[in-house]
Amino acid sequence: DIQMTQSPSTLSASAGDRVTITCRASQNIGSWLAWYQQKPGKAPKVVIYMASSLESGVPSRFSGSGSGTEFTLTISSLQPEDVATYYCQEYISNTFGQGTKLEI
Amino acid sequence: QVQLVQSGAEVKKPGASVKVSCKASGYTFTSYYVHWVRQAPGQGLEWMGIINPSGGSTSYRQKFQGRVTMTRDTSTSTVYMELSSLRSEDTAVYYCARARIAVYSDLQHWGQGTLVTVSS
């Protein structure tokens, strides 16, 4: 299976900050990568798919980039409602990263 | 709108089996693959497998081979995930999720989750 290494595991930032989460794949996955946001007690919600496509209804402060083995999720100006755990997922063998807990 | 509604919470004894249902609505049931993902308490997401509701073909993560069975009923637009030989480590919230497109796809729509507790 493909291994997904996500960093950092915890990220503390202030409202208005630009934050970046990184995901590294153990082999080339092209652009087959999604980012999910999960709030406590809720199902995950996709925010970015195909590495850089913004899901409908997701604020434009979210963006994704990368291809091959290195990917990033960026929130350009952190808002209180963005507090959540974020997961990357490659969808060749469907492995998730271990998650990044984002705090304000 | 697309909805995936899962069955309610279950409590099972070690060694037993559990069958979780996921009823789909708001789209053509046979046109989109459905995945199952689980999340142990305080842990991350773990992909379990995928079913093609059209023909019923499945693919399971190797870890679950021999213990998991995914099926579907096209007459009721429902997919099922059965996990056998339960152990305490199977205590988790189990989610069904619908793919955006065909095989290689993110998970665009999710069920609300079903808590399965395995305890003697």
Side-chain angles (χ1 to χ4, degrees):
Chain A
D1 280 358
I2 298 169
Q3 307 302 314
M4 302 301 290
T5 304
Q6 197 174 329
S7 61
S9 55
T10 306
L11 179 56
S12 184
S14 300
D17 282 356
R18 181 183 183 89
V19 300
T20 299
I21 299 169
T22 298
C23 195
R24 177 176 296 146
S26 61
Q27 64 190 69
N28 188 338
I29 60 169
S31 295
W32 302 114
L33 184 111
W35 291 95
Y36 299 88
Q37 175 193 69
Q38 187 179 33
K39 297 184 178 181
K42 299 293 187 182
K45 166 190 165 184
V46 63
V47 294
I48 298 288
Y49 63 100
M50 283 305 290
S52 60
S53 295
L54 186 68
E55 174 68 345
S56 175
V58 173
S60 59
R61 61 181 179 271
F62 288 86
S63 65
S65 65
S67 66
T69 61
E70 296 277 343
F71 301 87
T72 58
L73 172 70
T74 300
I75 306 173
S76 61
S77 178
L78 187 65
Q79 300 301 304
E81 59 267 31
D82 301 335
V83 169
T85 300
Y86 292 83
Y87 296 93
C88 62
Q89 179 216 11
E90 59 79 15
Y91 36 97
I92 295 176
S93 61
N94 293 293
T95 302
F96 289 90
Q98 65 268 45
T100 295
K101 186 175 183 180
L102 179 56
E103 304 169 334
I104 284 187
Chain B
Q1 73 281 20
V2 175
Q3 278 196 303
L4 300 170
V5 179
Q6 299 183 222
S7 49
E10 303 261 13
V11 179
K12 295 292 183 181
K13 293 194 182 302
S17 297
V18 68
K19 192 170 187 177
V20 180
S21 68
C22 170
K23 183 172 177 58
S25 61
Y27 69 96
T28 302
F29 176 68
T30 52
S31 294
Y32 297 87
Y33 288 65
V34 174
H35 299 241
W36 288 89
V37 176
R38 76 177 186 179
Q39 186 170 38
Q43 302 301 308
L45 302 170
E46 181 176 36
W47 183 80
M48 298 181 69
I50 184 174
I51 182 168
N52 178 354
S54 178
S57 60
T58 56
S59 177
Y60 306 135
R61 185 176 176 181
Q62 188 164 7
K63 172 179 178 176
F64 299 105
Q65 288 276 3
R67 280 212 302 146
V68 71
T69 305
M70 297 177 188
T71 56
R72 93 293 188 217
D73 182 342
T74 56
S75 69
T76 60
S77 298
T78 302
V79 296
Y80 300 91
M81 187 283 300
E82 184 170 21
L83 189 63
S84 62
S85 302
L86 290 169
R87 34 211 189 227
S88 58
E89 311 89 88
D90 295 317
T91 293
V93 176
Y94 289 77
Y95 294 101
C96 62
R98 199 207 80 174
R100 182 183 304 272
I101 52 175
V103 181
Y104 297 124
S105 174
D106 63 299
L107 306 179
Q108 187 181 22
H109 300 279
W110 293 68
Q112 83 276 19
T114 296
L115 176 62
V116 175
T117 303
V118 182
S119 174
S120 56

